[in-house]
Amino acid sequence: MRQETNDPVLEVDGLVKRYDPPKGVLAVDGVSFSIAPGEVFSLLGPNGAGKTTTISMICGLLSPTAGDAVIGGYSIRRQPAQAKMLMGVAPQEVAVYGDLSARENLSFFGRMYGLRGEKLTERVGEVLQTIGLADRARERVAKFSSGMKRRLNIGIALLHQPHLLILDEPTVGIDPQSRRHILDEVIALNRAGTSVLYTTHYMEEAQELSHTIAIMDHGRIIACGSHAELVKQVGEVDHLELVTSQPPEQALEVWKDVEGITKSFVQDGKTVLWARAGDALLPRLFERAASVGLRVLSVQVQEPNLESVFLHLTGRALRDT
Amino acid sequence: MLLWELVWKDLRRMFRSPFAVGMAFIAPLFITGLLVLAFGGISSGSSGMSAIRLVVVDLDQMIPGIVAKAGTIVTQVLSAPALSSLFRVSAVSNEETARRMLSGREADLALILPADFSQAAFIGDAQTRLIILHDPTLQVSPQILRSIVNDILDNFLGSRSAVSGALDALQAEGFSPDPALADQVVQRYLVWVNSLTPSAGGSGQVLETRSPTQPVSSKSNPFLALAMAGMMIYFVFYSGAAASLSILHEKEEGTLARLFVTPVAKAAVLGGKVLSALLLLVIQVVVLLVSSSLLFGISWGFPVSVVLASVGLVACAAGFGLFLMSWVSSSRQVGTVMGGVLTITAMVGGLFTVSIPNMPKAFQTAGLSMPQGWALQAFRLSLNGEGVLPELLPLAVLLALAVVFFVWGLARFRRRLA
Amino acid sequence: MRILTIIAKNLLQISRDWKSSLFLVAMPILFTVFFGVVTAQPAESRLTLAVLNAAGGGSPAVELVKALGDSPALRLIPLAGDEGAGVEERVRQGEWNAALIVVPGWSEAAWSGQPIPLQLVAESSNLQGQAATAAVQSAAKRILGAVEAARLAAEFLEVRKPFADTAARNVFLQGVMARSLAQFATSPLSVETVPMTLSTKPPSGYAQASPGIMVQFAIFGLLTSATLLVMERKTRTMARLLTTPATRGEVLLGHGLTIFLVTFLQELLLVLLGQLVFGLSYFSAPGGTLLLMVSLALWTTSLGLLIGALVRAEEQVILWGLAAMFFFSALGGAWFPLEIAGPGFAAIGRWIPTSWAVEGFQNIIVRGLGDASVLLPSAILLGVAALFFAIAVWRFRYD
């Protein structure tokens, strides 16, 4: 099924979704990107950024107000059947039949993708192995733990060996162990040659998995590139997090006008300061603190990360939104 | 105070669900409304049926010397204004057309008056049959027509036998037959007939019929009231189950576990559920009793009897609902219990057949195997205007059942939630 | 092919759910038997009439009791004088259909030309009560008519030749009355009701119950099959299906055909039950029966899709399913013949597609008509089905 070319697996061109046009909510506002064969591409953004709407348009659940998505040369608008054959989609919320067994679920969806006979049996067996449910294959899914259901949810998307695997927030609300299992699975699949479109609002996941990351906010892609490229946008800025004996707001007042600080704010009960040369700044910070009787309990100096990129671009923290 | 908070929360949630409100208040009134639409006529005194489309095929031949024609008289009587709410009469010339109209559903009944009708009616020397053709699905209307036609024929026969009786007697005494005399006898006889025929302005009465059931209010229609009682009981039992369903819902939502980690006693939480179920049902019964009495003019009986019947119903329905739900493992099964178990027990309890007259007695007895049957019995007694005393048996049974259901159901829930 | 896979999956799910067997099989059979028995004509078709003759031996009273006893419609139960007190209760309890009390002085009043009414206890709101009333009324009028004839004869004779004494007059009156009654007894006139049917079997209670319950439970079955549709949307498996190459049309068709198949199989079960167990003649017009079954199943499917399109939660399916069942069954004449309903109700009923389904089946099993007799009912069902389908497809939400 897989063909070796260097043409992009997915090419998204100017996707727009406006609900109830012309005055309704503009959920996606001109999103374009492309995914090369073998690439893991993440859409990172806070809840409500438009990630799921974008994905829904790519996999044909929503019709775009404008723009198109082309999968392996097939437009989702004009050749949906062919385009869908090349994609495997694992939706954000688990979508499996609770009253059927894992094997029955896989067989059913396999048939939907045109698999039949021996090929179907073979693929169902392989997928059951891959997702670690081979020994529970005959049990009704309703009895599964939520981690097992998530794995089956992804397994269904793998059946027909798609060119492009679309995973919409696959790790939301599950335990760390299952999460690790899923991330490892994605890495393994990618090594085997599958391209992946991954959405998440966990920057660590995006950072670990992706070749390319697109940061979305308010329906737009506000930055796109490799992790290193994105971080470079913030510049060589260190990221200091200080915990003090007094409330962080008070500490902020004390430090905000110290020379060399480019940005200061309070986050998670800590005072956060950005500075060009963080190490050099520390003595001055302690000095100023001592002068007003402010005790510094802990200091952490961090390199810039995706969080800083998002903050830099939107003025908001990723996890707060 | 705490208990009240729990009850208040449950009641608020129930009343915010359009589904619960629909099933508790609107559905029983709606269905009874349909029945009123269907059978309302019975209460207003008319036949309660739509006018029967009757075609008359009058093949009757005139007899020389007699001015009247029996066929014409029958047709006239049937088309008289007194019967216009019953029959819409049209005439056709032959049986063929009548049959065609019947099979084309343009008419419900056809009355075929034979050629020798007058001969048989006035002279009596021929045997003849009047035929009522009818659609085989019609069972009531042909009998109505038949009894009316029989009545007309009886008047023919009666006047003829009066005439011949008088003339024979006079002849036997040596007087010669006299056509003028015959006419006089017929006229006198018909005056007498009319005196007994209300539609002809007669005030005489052959029969004084009274109904064995005597509802307290004369405007109340026992048929409708029973139907409404059946519907009310069905949906009160439904709401009883729905109220206890909230235990399952809260378990699945996780709020029940959350309540159990607060200092509130488990018994108080369950007690709150029971209390809110009882309150909901009381509200439901009161609303249904009052609104049905306003909407359909149902008079439910002496206040004390109504209260006793209602208390029994509410207690038993709430208990039964709790008991039923203690056997349901997840809210996914609820549809079955609501749709299936409650419907079957209601059916056996006689709720759906209560308004069918002359049900075999065995059905009423069988109905008492279900709690709904006893609730129905309680309301039946109240509607019949029986006093408090006969009401005590069903009330005692309902309360006893309620206790059993509550104890058993609560025990099961406590075990399940332990 | 994908459609077949969807149907197979749906049927598997339905068969996994134990309540399907309850809703689709057990309850309709139970209800058919129940209503069939309830509405069946009792083996003893004569009405029971208790008679208390408090008038004593006066000849009109005796003749009345005798006439009632001769009536083919009545079975007489003579009561002793002290049994008069409890008759209301016993009629209410259903022991008798009616109770007649021939009041003291009735015979004398009749002879005097000023008849006093007989007392009858009968439920005026039921058919048996009404029939008993009519039978008693008719018999009483005959007796009174004979008495009146005798009185008239005596009156006309007396003008010409007075009776020798009261005894002679009485003998004369009795004679004329007896002759009159004899004339009634050998009446040359009779009325016969003839059902216009080509069927050779007499209609049974099941002729109403079998098609009626079939219609009712076709709708009731939606609680199972339309729930599947709503659950599929709720669990988002429907949206997931649409990420596969399956089209919206295929998904909708797959579910629609599932409902159709389930309904049709249920109908088949009930038709076979009616034919083989209850002795109804569905097979006398096999083509017509089949066409009507298909039309009814398609209409039910369209209703199921409509409910599935308009509601969100599973419990709403139950509400709307039950509401639709009550509405279409009652107004469609599934529970009782529309004949006995009020004019407004019957008029509305004629516009309800289910009433046409019942009518179509009865055309075959009661009226004994052929295949062609279901064409109009089928056409109406299919027309309404098309309308429902159109609304369902228009309003259908897949996510």
Side-chain angles (χ1 to χ4, degrees):
Chain A
M1 211 185 267
R2 210 163 271 166
Q3 60 212 117
E4 298 303 327
T5 70
N6 283 321
D7 294 335
V9 176
L10 171 69
E11 200 151 18
V12 175
D13 182 22
L15 276 183
V16 174
K17 182 67 192 179
R18 188 188 281 281
Y19 291 102
D20 305 319
K23 288 191 171 174
V25 180
L26 187 60
V28 173
D29 185 9
V31 164
S32 303
F33 60 88
S34 71
I35 301 180
E39 185 179 4
V40 177
F41 186 102
S42 286
L43 278 176
L44 175 72
N47 290 326
K51 304 188 300 287
T52 299
T53 307
T54 305
I55 292 240
S56 297
M57 287 189 283
I58 293 170
C59 62
L61 280 179
L62 275 179
S63 55
T65 311
D68 198 358
V70 176
I71 302 101
Y74 298 110
S75 155
I76 191 68
R77 302 188 85 164
R78 289 185 304 277
Q79 297 133 300
Q82 291 92 327
K84 285 171 177 180
M85 278 303 289
L86 301 178
M87 287 186 283
V89 183
Q92 182 172 346
E93 277 165 79
V94 172
V96 295
Y97 296 104
D99 42 5
L100 300 183
S101 69
R103 182 181 292 279
E104 284 165 345
N105 267 289
L106 289 169
S107 297
F108 169 69
F109 280 105
R111 283 170 200 276
M112 287 292 116
Y113 284 104
L115 297 177
R116 294 282 181 279
E118 270 180 42
K119 176 75 183 163
L120 177 65
T121 321
E122 187 190 310
R123 279 304 294 155
V124 168
E126 285 169 11
V127 169
L128 281 168
Q129 288 294 341
T130 310
I131 59 177
L133 291 175
D135 51 341
R136 311 283 298 267
R138 286 172 186 282
E139 277 179 50
R140 293 211 193 167
V141 171
K143 293 179 186 161
F144 282 8
S145 72
S146 61
M148 290 161 75
K149 284 182 191 161
R150 282 248 167 230
R151 267 140 65 193
L152 177 62
N153 195 40
I154 295 173
I156 290 171
L158 306 177
L159 276 166
H160 61 298
Q161 296 168 298
H163 289 202
L164 176 65
L165 178 62
I166 300 182
L167 300 169
D168 190 5
E169 307 247 12
T171 58
V172 168
I174 57 167
D175 60 285
Q177 208 184 337
S178 294
R179 182 178 184 182
R180 192 61 249 164
H181 191 282
I182 288 171
L183 294 180
D184 289 345
E185 231 168 72
V186 174
I187 293 168
L189 284 163
N190 178 244
R191 288 212 179 109
T194 310
S195 311
V196 179
L197 171 56
Y198 194 97
T199 77
T200 183
H201 61 278
Y202 298 123
M203 59 169 186
E204 304 84 356
E205 286 182 6
Q207 192 168 336
E208 178 183 346
L209 295 174
S210 320
H211 302 107
T212 309
I213 299 166
I215 300 181
M216 273 194 89
D217 191 39
H218 294 315
R220 291 166 166 274
I221 290 182
I222 52 175
C224 185
S226 67
H227 181 247
E229 286 165 353
L230 287 173
V231 168
K232 213 177 262 172
Q233 293 193 5
V234 188
E236 293 299 313
V237 173
D238 283 330
H239 190 166
L240 283 79
E241 291 183 7
L242 298 105
V243 180
T244 52
S245 55
Q246 271 86 345
E249 291 79 11
Q250 217 171 314
L252 193 67
E253 284 302 309
V254 175
W255 285 325
K256 67 177 180 192
D257 51 350
V258 172
E259 201 192 326
I261 291 178
T262 54
K263 202 168 194 145
S264 61
F265 53 90
V266 172
Q267 187 187 318
D268 294 348
K270 295 172 188 166
T271 313
V272 181
L273 306 172
W274 289 12
R276 290 237 167 259
D279 307 355
L281 193 66
L282 280 176
R284 260 182 285 161
L285 293 179
F286 278 101
E287 214 172 283
R288 177 72 68 92
S291 71
V292 293
L294 182 77
R295 274 177 56 215
V296 178
L297 302 178
S298 77
V299 184
Q300 230 179 338
V301 182
Q302 276 190 342
E303 304 269 296
N305 58 13
L306 291 172
E307 175 78 54
S308 351
V309 176
F310 188 79
L311 191 67
H312 172 74
L313 293 172
T314 66
R316 287 172 294 128
L318 188 53
R319 67 191 73 159
D320 287 350
T321 43
Chain B
M1 214 45 224
L2 211 60
L3 193 64
W4 172 243
E5 287 300 326
L6 289 166
V7 171
W8 179 232
K9 173 214 40 158
D10 280 340
L11 282 179
R12 235 175 0 194
R13 291 189 70 183
M14 274 182 263
F15 278 98
R16 278 190 192 160
S17 150
F19 178 72
V21 172
M23 290 304 259
F25 302 105
I26 299 167
L29 289 172
F30 171 72
I31 295 167
T32 311
L34 275 185
L35 291 170
V36 171
L37 194 59
F39 303 109
I42 293 175
S43 66
S44 62
S46 78
S47 72
M49 294 175 47
S50 32
I52 301 162
R53 295 165 302 171
L54 168 68
V55 281
V56 178
V57 184
D58 185 1
L59 307 172
D60 190 17
Q61 301 291 322
M62 207 141 189
I63 314 171
I66 297 184
V67 192
K69 212 180 87 173
T72 311
I73 295 171
V74 169
T75 311
Q76 276 168 356
V77 172
L78 291 174
S79 330
L83 294 179
S84 65
S85 69
L86 210 48
F87 298 114
R88 251 190 2 249
V89 182
S90 53
V92 297
S93 58
N94 58 52
E95 189 176 329
E96 198 53 36
T97 316
R99 282 184 178 270
R100 222 179 27 247
M101 287 176 77
L102 280 186
S103 36
R105 314 305 306 278
E106 293 165 56
D108 302 309
L109 304 175
L111 173 64
I112 296 160
L113 305 169
D116 50 0
F117 183 28
S118 285
Q119 186 75 24
F122 298 142
I123 312 295
D125 58 354
Q127 281 284 336
T128 195
R129 270 193 328 182
L130 282 65
I131 305 280
I132 296 171
L133 278 175
H134 66 92
D135 184 277
T137 61
L138 299 182
Q139 291 172 0
V140 185
S141 346
Q143 298 311 324
I144 292 176
L145 177 61
R146 183 188 174 147
S147 106
I148 289 173
V149 171
N150 259 327
D151 229 36
I152 302 170
L153 296 187
D154 272 4
N155 291 341
F156 282 139
L157 285 176
S159 52
R160 192 156 57 78
S161 69
V163 170
S164 66
L167 294 187
D168 286 357
L170 291 173
Q171 207 164 12
E173 297 296 329
F175 298 101
S176 62
D178 175 2
L181 181 70
D183 195 46
Q184 250 180 315
V185 176
V186 169
Q187 290 311 320
R188 286 284 303 278
Y189 189 84
L190 288 179
V191 167
W192 175 83
V193 165
N194 284 340
S195 76
L196 289 178
T197 312
S199 58
S203 57
Q205 215 183 348
V206 178
L207 266 188
E208 202 174 84
T209 312
R210 59 177 188 273
S211 179
T213 47
Q214 281 166 332
V216 178
S217 156
S218 57
K219 71 172 182 172
S220 180
N221 172 3
F223 171 89
L224 252 188
L226 277 174
M228 179 68 210
M231 282 302 129
M232 177 171 74
I233 294 166
Y234 178 73
F235 284 100
V236 168
F237 269 78
Y238 185 96
S239 298
S244 289
L245 172 63
S246 72
I247 302 180
L248 284 184
H249 275 158
E250 284 216 39
K251 190 178 164 224
E252 284 164 8
E253 288 166 354
T255 48
L256 198 65
R258 191 156 209 160
L259 276 174
F260 285 162
V261 299
T262 68
V264 185
K266 198 179 277 182
V269 175
L270 285 178
K273 291 284 175 196
V274 170
L275 207 58
S276 58
L278 287 171
L279 259 173
L280 171 77
L281 300 197
V282 167
I283 296 170
Q284 188 187 5
V285 169
V286 169
V287 168
L288 289 181
L289 287 175
V290 170
S291 52
S292 63
S293 128
L294 293 177
L295 284 173
F296 312 129
I298 294 172
S299 162
W300 288 97
F302 298 117
V304 183
S305 317
V306 179
V307 169
L308 291 183
S310 306
V311 166
L313 169 63
V314 166
C316 194
F320 191 66
L322 183 82
F323 173 71
L324 212 57
M325 286 301 145
S326 75
W327 294 89
V328 176
S329 59
S330 80
S331 61
R332 284 202 59 187
Q333 293 182 1
V334 165
T336 322
V337 174
M338 300 287 203
V341 178
L342 283 178
T343 308
I344 291 178
T345 49
M347 183 184 86
V348 178
L351 298 188
F352 301 145
T353 39
V354 58
S355 43
I356 298 181
N358 276 53
M359 285 285 292
K361 203 166 158 37
F363 269 104
Q364 242 187 65
T365 317
L368 296 181
S369 63
M370 293 293 154
Q372 289 98 324
W374 283 99
L376 186 61
Q377 180 71 5
F379 277 97
R380 199 197 298 268
L381 291 173
S382 174
L383 282 167
N384 281 350
E386 311 266 351
V388 172
L389 214 56
E391 199 72 58
L392 293 179
L393 172 67
L395 177 67
V397 174
L398 286 171
L399 291 180
L401 285 172
V403 169
V404 172
F405 288 140
F406 273 126
V407 170
W408 196 343
L410 281 174
R412 282 191 55 85
F413 264 122
R414 288 196 70 122
R415 233 188 355 260
R416 283 181 56 182
L417 301 175
Chain C
M1 201 55 202
R2 280 195 200 96
I3 295 175
L4 291 183
T5 307
I6 294 177
I7 296 173
K9 187 270 299 173
N10 286 345
L11 292 180
L12 184 64
Q13 284 181 294
I14 290 174
S15 67
R16 288 272 162 88
D17 188 355
W18 63 271
K19 69 187 174 196
S20 333
S21 57
L22 181 77
F23 285 176
L24 299 175
V25 180
M27 283 179 70
I29 294 178
L30 208 67
F31 267 70
T32 308
V33 174
F34 183 79
F35 275 100
V37 170
V38 167
T39 54
Q41 307 289 340
E44 164 74 73
S45 62
R46 286 189 301 168
L47 303 162
T48 48
L49 174 72
V51 177
L52 174 65
N53 185 358
S59 54
V62 173
E63 289 295 342
L64 174 65
V65 175
K66 190 164 155 286
L68 290 170
D70 291 343
S71 162
L74 299 172
R75 189 160 64 85
L76 234 53
I77 295 154
L79 296 183
D82 56 351
E83 284 183 288
V87 290
E88 264 101 350
E89 182 58 27
R90 292 169 78 175
V91 171
R92 182 165 66 214
Q93 293 293 332
E95 190 177 336
W96 315 310
N97 296 113
L100 174 70
I101 298 163
V102 186
V103 293
W106 186 74
S107 296
E108 292 74 12
W111 283 128
S112 75
Q114 302 288 325
I116 53 177
L118 297 159
Q119 301 289 319
L120 184 73
V121 179
E123 191 65 83
S124 57
S125 62
N126 79 34
L127 294 178
Q128 286 90 338
Q130 289 164 5
T133 307
V136 172
Q137 175 112 17
S138 154
K141 272 177 100 171
R142 284 187 175 193
I143 304 296
L144 291 173
V147 169
E148 186 62 20
R151 275 169 34 80
L152 287 174
E155 193 182 309
F156 281 97
L157 183 62
E158 252 167 338
V159 192
R160 293 164 173 82
K161 182 190 165 205
F163 291 107
D165 52 22
T166 320
R169 187 171 188 273
N170 279 345
V171 170
F172 176 80
L173 289 172
Q174 299 287 353
V176 180
M177 181 175 84
R179 262 208 305 279
S180 276
L181 287 174
Q183 286 212 1
F184 276 119
T186 59
S187 164
L189 296 168
S190 60
V191 187
E192 195 180 340
T193 54
V194 181
M196 237 189 56
T197 174
L198 303 171
S199 166
T200 47
K201 293 179 182 168
S204 73
Y206 292 107
Q208 169 70 30
S210 174
I213 297 299
M214 200 188 314
V215 166
Q216 180 189 351
F217 276 87
I219 306 172
F220 199 64
L222 292 179
L223 293 195
T224 293
S225 44
T227 300
L228 204 66
L229 199 70
V230 172
M231 285 303 290
E232 181 131 346
R233 190 162 54 218
K234 203 171 149 193
T235 59
R236 298 186 183 263
T237 39
M238 187 175 292
R240 174 158 217 164
L241 268 178
L242 294 176
T243 69
T244 74
T247 62
R248 278 158 207 263
E250 284 173 321
V251 172
L252 197 61
L253 207 59
H255 285 94
L257 283 173
T258 306
I259 300 180
F260 173 81
L261 213 59
V262 168
T263 314
F264 185 80
L265 288 175
Q266 189 192 35
E267 288 173 352
L268 191 64
L269 174 79
L270 293 177
V271 162
L272 288 175
L273 196 75
Q275 175 78 28
L276 303 175
V277 181
F278 303 132
L280 301 172
S281 45
Y282 284 108
F283 291 176
S284 65
T289 299
L290 187 67
L291 175 62
L292 204 55
M293 286 164 70
V294 169
S295 309
L296 176 61
L298 280 174
W299 175 78
T300 311
T301 305
S302 70
L303 179 66
L305 289 181
L306 191 63
I307 292 176
L310 298 181
V311 311
R312 286 192 174 278
E314 198 183 355
E315 58 172 20
Q316 288 178 1
V317 178
I318 300 172
L319 173 70
W320 288 108
L322 283 176
M325 182 192 84
F326 280 122
F327 180 79
F328 285 112
S329 304
L331 276 174
W335 291 341
F336 44 78
L338 287 178
E339 177 200 11
I340 62 171
F345 193 93
I348 297 170
R350 299 309 297 168
W351 290 91
I352 301 295
T354 39
S355 79
W356 288 95
V358 174
E359 161 132 1
F361 282 120
Q362 289 190 331
N363 278 348
I364 293 170
I365 60 170
V366 183
R367 299 188 180 97
L369 299 174
D371 292 337
S373 67
V374 305
L375 289 179
L376 179 65
S378 295
I380 287 168
L381 281 166
L382 292 175
V384 179
L387 179 71
F388 283 7
F389 273 127
I391 301 174
V393 171
W394 172 47
R395 300 296 304 173
F396 204 82
R397 296 187 307 255
Y398 293 86
D399 45 14

